[in-house]
Amino acid sequence: MDAETTTIESSTNRQQQLARRWIDGFNAALASGDAEAVSQLFAPISFWRDLVAFTWNIKTVENREGVRDMLAATRDDARPVVFSLAEPASEANGIIEAWLTFETKVGRGEGLVRLRDGLAWTLLTALSELKGHEEPKGPRRPLGAEHGVIRGRKSWAERQADEARTIGFETQPYVLVIGGGQGGIALGARLRQLGVPSVVIDRHERAGDQWRKRYKSLCLHDPVWYDHLPYIDFPANWPVFSPKDKIGDWLEMYTKVMDINYWVSTTAKSAVYDKDHSTWRVIVDRHGETLELRPTHLVLATGMSGKPHIPAFRGIERFRGEQHHSSQHPGPDAYAGKRVVVIGSNNSAHDICAALWEHGADVTMVQRSSTHIVRSNSLMEIGLGDLYSERAVDRGVTTHRADMIFASLPYRIMHEFQRPVYDAIRERDADFYAALRKVGFMLDFGADDSGLFMKYLRRGSGYYIDVGASDLVIDASIKLKSGVPVEEITETGVRMADGVELPADLIVYATGYGSMNGWAADLISQDVADRVGKVWGLGSDTPKDPGPWEGEQRNMWKPTQQENLWFHGGNLHQSRHYSLYLALQLKARQIGLATPVYGLQEVHHLT
Ligand SMILES: Cc1cc2nc3c(=O)[nH]c(=O)nc-3n(C[C@H](O)[C@H](O)[C@H](O)COP(=O)(O)OP(=O)(O)OC[C@H]3O[C@@H](n4cnc5c(N)ncnc54)[C@H](O)[C@@H]3O)c2cc1C
């Protein structure tokens, strides 16, 4: 054995010893029920993020006081609790990282702890399954066939047909999911695996239409490794950036093979919570027929990019040409040779402008405020590559592992991890950014230079992942009008505040989407929407994400101030990962487990 090998071995031993010592101490303190003793195992500045395992909530507590309060409130319901080291610990930059498994009274979970000077700096605890209600997968997978001879037995298809015929009529779903995009579908699959009777409804004629009906040039902006749905990964030959119709077909296929009760052409018209019976009364229109459903829980998976927002521009009603929101934009084919003004300068605006230019339209982009632009290649290599890429997979970072690593970074300090990423991108693409600035494009890198992902988490808007349109802006193929507000819409176009008129045959309002509690206002009542408050954002006190600090995304995947009402959605990564925790919360309630919620969020903003 050479000296180098000996050094590596002894440092590995030291990491194991330190990790074990911490876990042993943690277990002992948890067993004693002494919340103060547990808190002393955390660094003075520290974060414990819990996904449903201790808090029946999605909650990050901070510092020793936060840990102590949380444990004092939850320990009796969670105990006995035992943590174990899942694999050998590792060390980088003085931080020991250890993957954990654990058991509570009712469930099993996994976690990740980072130790600094022997104390926990970050801890993630995530519930994976409920004891006695494990998913029928792997060694527990169903047999499928029933060997033997059974008189009058029904085939699998007949049983499926029976369920489809009776649920919503003779029996009621325990959960009704309104909205069958990727969010509703992923949740539907999880609920099916957990044996929670549920129905997913969508107003479209086919599952996947949410993507099919978007503008024709759209491809996913996130790469395939980031986009897998639960249970079924995309095959190895799937494109890195899935074209929208392909993802639509995948969702439709998935809905079928995951046995989701998916009602197409079904629109939820209204919903009322019946307090006396703790159920919802939901009126739906299914293929023109009006039905009342009585689910216990209602999940709004109606899309954070689903409620079009158009600012109230003066004169909008007098425009004589065609005008629509970006979500209604059919694609460029009908607009060759036409003058198009696209109001907005984020993802949709760029994609739409580029496709129109490709089809020979005369395009002007109106930029009201600064936009964060990051080139797709740079984002893939520097921003996502360590976690979601072929390179990551080769290093053993599966999508699940990447999800857990991502989840383990507390939102409070996530921007600090993100900043160097965007500093590197800025340096690498300096010429590109200089060229954009030169043509007057207003750029930003987020309120604190933390880039795209923080903007997404905080406000869900304000960026473009560049797949080519920026070059068209730079060479003026797409004309740019920036830094001046729109004064009014005229009969023939858009008048800017500096008096410049932009003549148009078509105006596209790529002006974004409203908060998801707007869906609750439409479907349930303004009162319930207000009780629940704003959906999305962290309370970072940055533009469109007002404080106070919330610590988690508002209202997403966790209990809200309205009993039995939940919100679900987000990008494919979030739909995949957080659908598990939402499904487990629903399952726990279905089987009658006590689910005392620690730290139910308060409402600070209505929209
Ligand atoms: C242009 C664009 C590009 C995007 N690119 C990406 C990307 O590359 N990667 C990514 O992960 N995310 C992307 N997103 C963001 C987000 O992931 C998508 O918007 C995604 O579709 C959200 O999924 P969802 O299931 O939450 O909502 P949606 O897909 O919007 O589905 C909501 C569903 O609810 C239904 N619905 C609404 N109200 C009712 C009602 N009353 N009754 C019945 N049904 C109803 C709608 O018909 C719709 O099908 C993009 C968004 C946009 C707009």
Coordinates of all heavy atoms in Angstrom, one line a residue, residues 261-304:
N261 N -57.4 7.0 -14.1 CA -58.8 7.4 -14.5 C -58.8 8.8 -15.1 O -58.8 9.7 -14.3 CB -59.8 7.3 -13.3 CG -60.0 5.8 -12.9 OD1 -60.3 5.0 -13.8 ND2 -59.9 5.6 -11.6
Y262 N -58.7 8.9 -16.3 CA -58.4 10.2 -17.0 C -59.6 10.6 -17.8 O -59.9 9.9 -18.8 CB -57.2 10.2 -17.8 CG -56.7 11.5 -18.3 CD1 -55.7 12.2 -17.6 CD2 -57.1 12.1 -19.5 CE1 -55.2 13.4 -18.0 CE2 -56.7 13.3 -19.9 CZ -55.7 14.0 -19.2 OH -55.2 15.2 -19.6
W263 N -60.4 11.6 -17.4 CA -61.6 12.0 -18.1 C -61.2 13.2 -19.1 O -60.9 14.3 -18.6 CB -62.7 12.4 -17.2 CG -63.3 11.4 -16.3 CD1 -62.8 10.1 -16.2 CD2 -64.4 11.5 -15.5 NE1 -63.6 9.4 -15.3 CE2 -64.6 10.2 -14.9 CE3 -65.3 12.5 -15.2 CZ2 -65.6 10.0 -14.0 CZ3 -66.3 12.3 -14.3 CH2 -66.5 11.0 -13.7
V264 N -61.3 12.9 -20.3 CA -61.1 14.0 -21.3 C -62.4 14.7 -21.5 O -63.4 14.3 -21.1 CB -60.5 13.4 -22.7 CG1 -59.2 12.8 -22.5 CG2 -61.5 12.4 -23.3
S265 N -62.2 15.9 -22.2 CA -63.4 16.7 -22.5 C -64.3 16.9 -21.3 O -65.5 16.9 -21.4 CB -64.2 16.1 -23.7 OG -63.4 15.9 -24.8
T266 N -63.7 17.1 -20.2 CA -64.4 17.3 -18.9 C -63.9 18.6 -18.3 O -62.7 18.8 -18.0 CB -64.2 16.1 -18.0 OG1 -64.5 14.9 -18.7 CG2 -65.0 16.3 -16.7
T267 N -64.8 19.5 -18.1 CA -64.5 20.8 -17.5 C -65.1 21.0 -16.1 O -66.3 20.7 -16.0 CB -65.0 22.0 -18.4 OG1 -64.4 21.8 -19.7 CG2 -64.6 23.3 -17.9
A268 N -64.3 21.3 -15.2 CA -64.9 21.7 -13.8 C -65.5 23.0 -13.9 O -64.9 24.0 -14.4 CB -63.7 21.6 -12.8
K269 N -66.7 23.1 -13.5 CA -67.5 24.4 -13.6 C -67.5 25.1 -12.3 O -67.4 26.3 -12.3 CB -68.9 24.1 -14.0 CG -69.1 23.5 -15.4 CD -68.7 24.5 -16.4 CE -69.1 24.2 -17.8 NZ -68.5 25.2 -18.8
S270 N -67.7 24.4 -11.2 CA -67.7 25.0 -9.9 C -67.4 24.0 -8.8 O -67.5 22.8 -9.1 CB -69.1 25.6 -9.6 OG -70.0 24.6 -9.5
A271 N -66.9 24.5 -7.7 CA -66.6 23.6 -6.6 C -67.0 24.3 -5.3 O -66.7 25.5 -5.1 CB -65.2 23.2 -6.6
V272 N -67.6 23.6 -4.4 CA -68.0 24.1 -3.1 C -67.6 23.1 -2.0 O -67.8 21.9 -2.2 CB -69.6 24.3 -3.0 CG1 -70.0 24.8 -1.6 CG2 -70.0 25.3 -4.1
Y273 N -67.0 23.6 -0.9 CA -66.6 22.7 0.1 C -67.8 22.5 1.1 O -68.3 23.5 1.6 CB -65.4 23.2 0.9 CG -64.8 22.2 1.8 CD1 -64.4 20.9 1.3 CD2 -64.7 22.4 3.2 CE1 -63.9 20.0 2.2 CE2 -64.2 21.4 4.0 CZ -63.8 20.2 3.5 OH -63.3 19.3 4.4
D274 N -68.2 21.2 1.3 CA -69.3 20.9 2.2 C -68.6 20.6 3.5 O -68.2 19.5 3.7 CB -70.1 19.8 1.6 CG -71.2 19.3 2.5 OD1 -71.2 19.7 3.6 OD2 -72.0 18.5 2.0
K275 N -68.6 21.5 4.4 CA -67.9 21.4 5.7 C -68.5 20.2 6.5 O -67.8 19.5 7.2 CB -68.0 22.7 6.5 CG -66.7 23.5 6.5 CD -66.9 24.6 7.5 CE -65.5 25.1 7.8 NZ -65.5 26.3 8.5
D276 N -69.8 20.1 6.4 CA -70.5 19.1 7.3 C -70.0 17.7 6.9 O -69.9 16.8 7.8 CB -72.0 19.2 7.2 CG -72.5 20.6 7.6 OD1 -71.7 21.2 8.4 OD2 -73.6 21.0 7.2
H277 N -69.8 17.5 5.7 CA -69.4 16.1 5.2 C -67.9 16.0 4.9 O -67.5 15.0 4.4 CB -70.3 15.7 4.0 CG -71.7 15.6 4.3 ND1 -72.6 16.7 4.1 CD2 -72.5 14.6 4.9 CE1 -73.8 16.4 4.5 NE2 -73.8 15.1 5.0
S278 N -67.2 17.1 5.0 CA -65.8 17.2 4.7 C -65.6 16.7 3.3 O -64.6 15.9 3.0 CB -64.9 16.4 5.7 OG -65.1 16.9 7.0
T279 N -66.4 17.0 2.4 CA -66.2 16.7 1.0 C -66.5 17.9 0.1 O -67.2 18.8 0.5 CB -67.2 15.5 0.5 OG1 -68.5 15.9 0.8 CG2 -66.9 14.2 1.2
W280 N -66.0 17.8 -1.1 CA -66.3 18.8 -2.1 C -67.5 18.4 -3.0 O -67.7 17.2 -3.2 CB -65.1 19.0 -3.0 CG -63.9 19.6 -2.3 CD1 -62.9 19.0 -1.7 CD2 -63.6 21.0 -2.2 NE1 -62.0 19.9 -1.2 CE2 -62.4 21.2 -1.5 CE3 -64.3 22.2 -2.7 CZ2 -61.9 22.4 -1.2 CZ3 -63.7 23.4 -2.4 CH2 -62.5 23.5 -1.7
R281 N -68.2 19.4 -3.4 CA -69.3 19.2 -4.4 C -68.8 19.9 -5.7 O -68.7 21.1 -5.7 CB -70.6 19.8 -4.0 CG -71.2 19.0 -2.8 CD -72.8 19.2 -2.8 NE -73.2 20.5 -3.0 CZ -73.4 21.4 -2.0 NH1 -73.2 21.0 -0.7 NH2 -73.7 22.6 -2.2
V282 N -68.4 19.1 -6.7 CA -67.8 19.7 -7.9 C -68.7 19.4 -9.0 O -69.0 18.2 -9.3 CB -66.4 19.1 -8.1 CG1 -65.7 19.8 -9.3 CG2 -65.5 19.2 -6.9
I283 N -69.1 20.5 -9.7 CA -69.9 20.3 -10.9 C -69.0 20.3 -12.1 O -68.2 21.1 -12.3 CB -70.9 21.5 -11.1 CG1 -71.8 21.6 -9.8 CG2 -71.8 21.3 -12.3 CD1 -72.7 20.5 -9.5
V284 N -69.1 19.2 -12.9 CA -68.3 19.1 -14.1 C -69.2 18.9 -15.3 O -70.3 18.3 -15.2 CB -67.3 17.9 -14.0 CG1 -66.4 18.1 -12.7 CG2 -67.9 16.6 -14.0
D285 N -68.7 19.3 -16.4 CA -69.3 19.0 -17.7 C -68.5 18.0 -18.4 O -67.3 18.3 -18.7 CB -69.4 20.4 -18.5 CG -69.9 20.2 -19.9 OD1 -69.5 19.2 -20.5 OD2 -70.7 21.0 -20.3
R286 N -69.0 16.8 -18.6 CA -68.3 15.7 -19.2 C -69.0 15.4 -20.6 O -70.1 14.9 -20.6 CB -68.3 14.5 -18.3 CG -67.3 13.4 -18.8 CD -67.4 12.2 -18.0 NE -66.4 11.3 -18.4 CZ -66.3 10.0 -18.0 NH1 -67.3 9.5 -17.3 NH2 -65.3 9.2 -18.4
H287 N -68.3 15.8 -21.6 CA -68.8 15.6 -23.0 C -70.2 16.1 -23.1 O -71.2 15.5 -23.6 CB -68.9 14.1 -23.3 CG -67.6 13.4 -23.3 ND1 -66.6 13.6 -24.3 CD2 -67.1 12.4 -22.5 CE1 -65.6 12.8 -24.1 NE2 -65.8 12.1 -23.0
G288 N -70.5 17.3 -22.5 CA -71.8 17.9 -22.6 C -72.7 17.5 -21.5 O -73.8 18.1 -21.4
E289 N -72.4 16.5 -20.7 CA -73.3 16.1 -19.6 C -72.9 16.7 -18.3 O -71.7 16.7 -18.0 CB -73.2 14.5 -19.6 CG -74.3 13.9 -18.7 CD -74.0 12.4 -18.4 OE1 -73.1 11.9 -19.2 OE2 -74.5 11.8 -17.5
T290 N -73.8 17.2 -17.5 CA -73.5 17.8 -16.2 C -73.5 16.7 -15.1 O -74.5 16.0 -15.0 CB -74.4 18.9 -15.8 OG1 -74.4 19.9 -16.9 CG2 -74.1 19.6 -14.5
L291 N -72.4 16.6 -14.3 CA -72.3 15.7 -13.2 C -71.9 16.3 -12.0 O -71.2 17.3 -12.0 CB -71.2 14.6 -13.5 CG -71.3 13.7 -14.8 CD1 -70.0 13.0 -14.9 CD2 -72.5 12.8 -14.6
E292 N -72.3 15.8 -10.8 CA -71.7 16.3 -9.6 C -70.8 15.2 -9.0 O -71.2 14.0 -8.8 CB -72.8 16.6 -8.6 CG -72.2 17.2 -7.3 CD -73.3 17.6 -6.3 OE1 -73.9 18.6 -6.4 OE2 -73.4 16.8 -5.3
L293 N -69.6 15.6 -8.7 CA -68.6 14.7 -8.1 C -68.5 15.1 -6.6 O -68.6 16.2 -6.3 CB -67.3 14.7 -8.8 CG -67.3 14.2 -10.2 CD1 -65.9 14.5 -10.9 CD2 -67.7 12.8 -10.3
R294 N -68.2 14.1 -5.7 CA -68.1 14.3 -4.3 C -66.8 13.8 -3.7 O -66.8 13.0 -2.9 CB -69.3 13.6 -3.5 CG -70.7 14.0 -4.0 CD -71.1 15.4 -3.6 NE -70.9 15.6 -2.2 CZ -71.8 16.1 -1.3 NH1 -73.0 16.3 -1.8 NH2 -71.5 16.3 -0.1
P295 N -65.7 14.4 -4.2 CA -64.4 13.9 -3.7 C -64.1 14.5 -2.3 O -64.7 15.5 -2.0 CB -63.4 14.5 -4.7 CG -64.1 15.8 -5.2 CD -65.5 15.4 -5.2
T296 N -63.3 13.8 -1.6 CA -62.9 14.4 -0.3 C -61.8 15.5 -0.5 O -61.9 16.5 0.2 CB -62.3 13.2 0.6 OG1 -63.3 12.2 0.7 CG2 -62.0 13.7 2.0
H297 N -60.9 15.2 -1.4 CA -59.9 16.2 -1.6 C -59.9 16.7 -3.1 O -60.2 15.9 -4.0 CB -58.5 15.6 -1.4 CG -58.3 15.3 0.1 ND1 -57.8 16.2 1.0 CD2 -58.6 14.1 0.8 CE1 -57.7 15.6 2.2 NE2 -58.2 14.4 2.1
L298 N -59.6 18.0 -3.2 CA -59.6 18.6 -4.5 C -58.2 19.1 -4.8 O -57.6 19.9 -3.9 CB -60.6 19.8 -4.5 CG -60.9 20.4 -5.8 CD1 -61.5 19.4 -6.8 CD2 -61.8 21.6 -5.6
V299 N -57.6 18.7 -5.9 CA -56.3 19.2 -6.3 C -56.4 20.0 -7.5 O -56.9 19.6 -8.5 CB -55.3 18.0 -6.5 CG1 -53.9 18.6 -6.9 CG2 -55.2 17.1 -5.3
L300 N -56.0 21.3 -7.4 CA -55.9 22.1 -8.6 C -54.6 22.0 -9.3 O -53.6 22.4 -8.8 CB -56.2 23.6 -8.2 CG -57.6 23.9 -7.6 CD1 -57.8 25.4 -7.5 CD2 -58.7 23.3 -8.5
A301 N -54.6 21.2 -10.4 CA -53.4 21.1 -11.2 C -53.6 21.8 -12.5 O -53.4 21.2 -13.6 CB -53.1 19.6 -11.4
T302 N -54.1 23.0 -12.4 CA -54.6 23.7 -13.6 C -53.6 24.5 -14.3 O -53.9 25.2 -15.2 CB -55.8 24.6 -13.2 OG1 -55.6 25.1 -11.9 CG2 -57.1 23.8 -13.1
G303 N -52.3 24.4 -13.8 CA -51.2 25.0 -14.5 C -50.8 26.4 -14.0 O -51.7 27.3 -13.9
M304 N -49.5 26.5 -13.7 CA -49.1 27.9 -13.4 C -48.9 28.7 -14.6 O -48.8 29.9 -14.6 CB -47.8 27.8 -12.6 CG -46.6 27.3 -13.3 SD -45.1 27.5 -12.5 CE -44.6 29.1 -12.9

